[in-house]
Structures are given as structure tokens and as C-alpha cells.
């Protein structure tokens, strides 16, 4: 075991502490008596009855999986949970994360992800995976740019019709990303100025609307057209060995060569 491997969890928890000081919020494994608050945060986001119930989180937490609650003082403002996975290698799969409306854009998502990262490294797990809607630009920029995750797959209508307060009847297309927790790409992303905009060079692009959720609510037909167009562009690019990166307008598809993810930024 190298010194870098030994130090990784320590450095990761230091990053969590810096983020706590920056946001003025706390994030930790939810104690048993506060698992009901996790349900409340999820239901406030996706609708009543759209969260796993408290007994599910009790079992998940009892088995050692991270069920994270973010608080502002005593008030719950965000929650996330993940579970151990082993398809294509041992990893943590982060399934659900939610932030209450008044706290979005205040670093809650970043704090939850850093806690997941530190906890995973402490347990010898070096990769976290999750899925996100590729049409939500702010999530794309956060996942790929701010965190340094990379897209490993595209799944059409991954969950089927969700019918919740966020997705409605929209197709549940998802990018699957891998966050290689102590890779050069991730370490560089976490150390970078959060306001910096990565510059990528690629012949293919997919421009996104700045707020897909608003577009879907205001003009469902246009949102559907964007969904159809995105499928064609994404699947064609991935078939040709390209991978998506993000800038201010959407995706740039670049050559997926060894080490290219660490050389592409300028």
C-alpha cells in the first residue's frame, strides 16, 4: 500500500471539512432517529410517496451503506443515499440525491458528494457511479466539470416512466458516470477554481437549453424534440468512440484516447 493510498481518505475528509466551512452546513450519515427526515427531503422533491420508506433506509444504513443527511443547524436541507455495487468492478452506486428548493445552488450537492467520496475511500472503494439526465445542463457541468466524473454509458429510458413531480411523463434517458475518486482527472477537477469554464476541442457538439426542467414545463413539444435529437447525437458519438465533456452551452464530444481526459482542458 502506497503512502498516497494511505493519505487519500484523510485528504478527502479534509476536503469535506473545507466544504462544510464554506457552506455553513453539515453533512453526515443520518442517525437512526433522523431517517424520517431523509424521507421528508425526498418527498419534498419528487412528491409524496415517491421516496423509499423509513424501513428501507434503516436496513440500508444498518448494512453500512451511506445514507447522508445535510443540515443547516437542525433543519434538514438535503439527502442522498448509495449502495454497494459490483457489476464491472466494486463500486458505490449513488442512487438518489435531493436538495430543498431554498438551498439549491449553495453547495449542498457538492458537500454530499464529498462525504460519499471520503466515506468510500475510507472503506477501500475507489469509484462511485450514478446516473443523471443528460439534458440537465447544470447537472452535466457539475458532474463532469466540477467533480471530474466521466460518462461510461448512455441508457435510453433507463427507469421507464417515473411519473414523479420532477420527471412527469418524460422519458428517463440517463448518462451513467464513473467517479474515479483518486484519479488525476478527479483530483484536478476538485482542486480547480469552481468558476472556471473548461475548454474542449471537438467537431461534434450538442447544445442544451439552460433550464431543461423549465422548457419541459413550458413547451413539452420542444422538450420532446430536444430529447429525440439528443439521442441521435449521443448514440452516434459514443458509437464512434467519442465521449462527452461540457462547456457553457452543452456537450463537446472528444476522442476517447488514453489520458485524453486529463489533457483536454486548457
Amino acid at each position: 500500500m502506497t503512502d498516497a493510498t494511505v493519505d487519500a481518505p484523510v485528504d478527502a475528509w479534509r476536503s469535506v471539512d473545507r466544504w462544510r466551512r464554506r457552506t455553513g452546513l453539515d453533512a453526515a450519515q443520518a442517525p437512526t432517529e433522523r431517517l424520517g427526515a431523509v424521507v421528508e427531503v425526498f418527498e419534498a422533491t419528487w412528491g409524496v410517496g415517491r421516496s423509499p420508506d423509513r424501513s428501507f433506509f434503516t436496513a440500508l444504513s444498518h448494512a453500512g451503506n451511506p445514507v447522508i443527511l445535510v443540515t443547516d443547524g437542525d433543519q434538514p436541507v438535503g439527502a442522498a443515499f448509495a449502495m454497494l455495487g459490483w457489476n464491472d468492478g466494486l463500486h458505490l452506486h449513488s442512487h438518489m440525491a435531493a436538495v430543498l428548493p431554498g438551498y439549491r445552488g449553495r453547495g449542498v450537492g457538492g458537500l454530499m458528494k464529498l462525504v460519499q467520496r471520503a466515506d468510500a475511500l475510507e472503506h477501500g472503494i475507489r469509484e462511485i457511479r450514478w446516473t443523471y439526465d443528460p439534458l440537465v445542463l447544470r447537472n452535466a457541468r457539475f458532474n463532469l466539470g466540477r467533480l471530474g466524473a466521466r460518462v461510461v454509458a448512455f441508457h435510453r429510458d433507463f427507469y421507464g416512466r417515473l411519473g414523479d413531480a420532477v420527471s412527469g411523463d418524460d422519458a428517463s434517458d440517463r448518462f451513467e458516470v464513473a467517479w474515479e475518486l483518486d484519479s488525476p482527472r478527479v483530483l484536478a477537477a476538485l482542486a480547480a477554481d469552481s468558476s472556471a469554464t473548461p475548454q474542449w476541442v471537438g467537431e461534434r457538439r450538442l447544445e442544451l437549453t439552460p433550464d431543461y426542467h423549465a422548457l419541459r414545463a413550458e413547451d413539452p413539444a420542444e422538450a420532446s424534440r430536444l430529447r429525440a435529437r439528443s439521442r441521435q447525437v449521443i448514440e452516434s458519438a459514443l458509437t464512434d468512440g467519442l465521449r462527452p465533456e461540457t462547456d457553457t452551452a452543452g456537450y463537446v464530444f472528444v476522442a476517447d484516447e488514453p489520458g485524453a481526459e486529463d489533457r483536454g482542458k486548457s
Side-chain angles (χ1 to χ4, degrees):
M1 183 176 290
T2 67
D3 290 342
T5 302
V6 171
D7 291 342
V10 174
D11 290 341
W13 283 116
R14 286 173 180 158
S15 294
V16 171
D17 287 339
R18 287 193 293 270
W19 206 278
R20 283 173 172 147
R21 291 193 295 271
R22 173 184 164 186
T23 61
L25 305 173
D26 194 19
Q29 179 80 3
T32 301
E33 64 272 15
R34 302 222 68 187
L35 291 175
V38 174
V39 176
E40 291 172 5
V41 170
F42 287 144
E43 290 193 336
T45 302
W46 285 289
V48 176
R50 304 303 304 187
S51 169
D53 64 18
R54 189 180 184 281
S55 66
F56 173 84
F57 292 123
T58 299
L60 202 68
S61 180
H62 180 75
N65 294 286
V67 181
I68 296 168
L69 184 65
V70 183
T71 53
D72 182 0
D74 193 52
Q75 179 186 355
V77 300
F81 78 88
M83 64 202 82
L84 197 63
W86 46 80
N87 282 350
D88 300 319
L90 185 68
H91 62 279
L92 194 68
H93 181 81
S94 181
H95 179 53
M96 292 178 75
V99 179
L100 295 186
Y103 284 83
R104 291 169 191 166
R106 293 180 54 179
V108 179
L111 181 57
M112 289 191 290
K113 277 287 177 275
L114 288 179
V115 171
Q116 285 183 335
R117 175 175 179 263
D119 188 53
L121 287 169
E122 192 171 88
H123 288 84
I125 298 170
R126 318 203 78 75
E127 183 175 305
I128 299 177
R129 300 180 196 166
W130 63 91
T131 66
Y132 78 93
D133 186 340
L135 299 189
V136 181
L137 180 57
R138 66 175 180 271
N139 288 351
R141 296 186 65 193
F142 175 71
N143 292 330
L144 307 188
R146 187 70 185 93
L147 296 180
R150 59 184 180 85
V151 172
V152 294
F154 172 67
H155 306 286
R156 282 196 183 211
D157 209 19
F158 187 54
Y159 298 108
R161 180 189 177 278
L162 290 169
D164 58 38
V166 174
S167 302
D169 292 327
D170 195 9
S172 58
D173 293 356
R174 294 292 185 268
F175 269 152
E176 181 178 357
V177 299
W179 198 27
E180 295 158 338
L181 302 180
D182 53 359
S183 69
R185 173 186 170 98
V186 169
L187 294 177
L190 294 179
D193 181 351
S194 62
S195 65
T197 301
Q199 301 296 318
W200 296 94
V201 177
E203 295 182 0
R204 297 192 213 180
R205 304 184 60 86
L206 174 62
E207 291 193 5
L208 301 178
T209 180
D211 189 341
Y212 178 73
H213 290 156
L215 176 67
R216 183 167 54 195
E218 297 165 5
D219 191 345
E222 179 57 28
S224 181
R225 285 190 289 270
L226 177 57
R227 177 76 65 191
R229 185 166 70 253
S230 73
R231 286 174 165 180
Q232 294 176 350
V233 174
I234 290 168
E235 290 175 340
S236 174
L238 295 182
T239 297
D240 289 343
L242 304 178
R243 75 169 193 281
E245 298 291 353
T246 60
D247 60 15
T248 56
Y251 294 105
V252 180
F253 293 89
V254 301
D256 194 11
E257 299 172 352
E261 66 272 16
D262 303 317
R263 297 197 306 269
K265 296 181 181 180
S266 62

